Amino acid sequence: MEKHWVKIFITANPVQAELSKQMLEEHGVVSVIINKQDSSYRFGQLELYVHESEAVFARGLITEMETGDEEA
């Protein structure tokens, strides 16, 4: 992975990781999922990374999504 990317979200749920990535992309934030789960047993984590210049904005969006505070 290139330099200047930061981890902003960790989950064990692949669906949650993809939904978070999609939500960020809808807001113009490029993100990458690193899958650190064991493929046979589904334990481990998925990590969501964004460029450090967008980290504060992306964390805010993730927080809004988790708490349901996003305005329509």
Side-chain angles (χ1 to χ4, degrees):
M1 178 175 258
E2 294 182 29
K3 296 179 182 181
H4 309 292
W5 287 75
V6 293
K7 180 174 26 178
I8 62 158
F9 185 67
I10 301 170
T11 184
N13 183 336
V15 173
Q16 184 64 38
E18 286 295 333
L19 287 173
S20 298
K21 183 179 188 305
Q22 183 178 29
M23 183 270 305
L24 289 173
E25 289 180 355
E26 288 173 0
H27 286 86
V29 178
V30 176
S31 60
V32 175
I33 295 174
I34 303 295
N35 186 343
K36 294 188 174 181
Q37 285 189 331
D38 180 275
S39 61
S40 298
Y41 300 104
R42 289 288 200 216
F43 66 87
Q45 302 295 319
L46 294 110
E47 301 174 349
L48 187 62
Y49 287 80
V50 299
H51 192 270
E52 66 185 5
S53 64
E54 298 181 301
V56 172
F57 178 61
R59 283 186 182 117
L61 290 171
I62 295 288
T63 300
E64 285 181 9
M65 186 178 84
E66 289 177 336
T67 60
D69 291 341
E70 189 172 359
E71 295 179 17

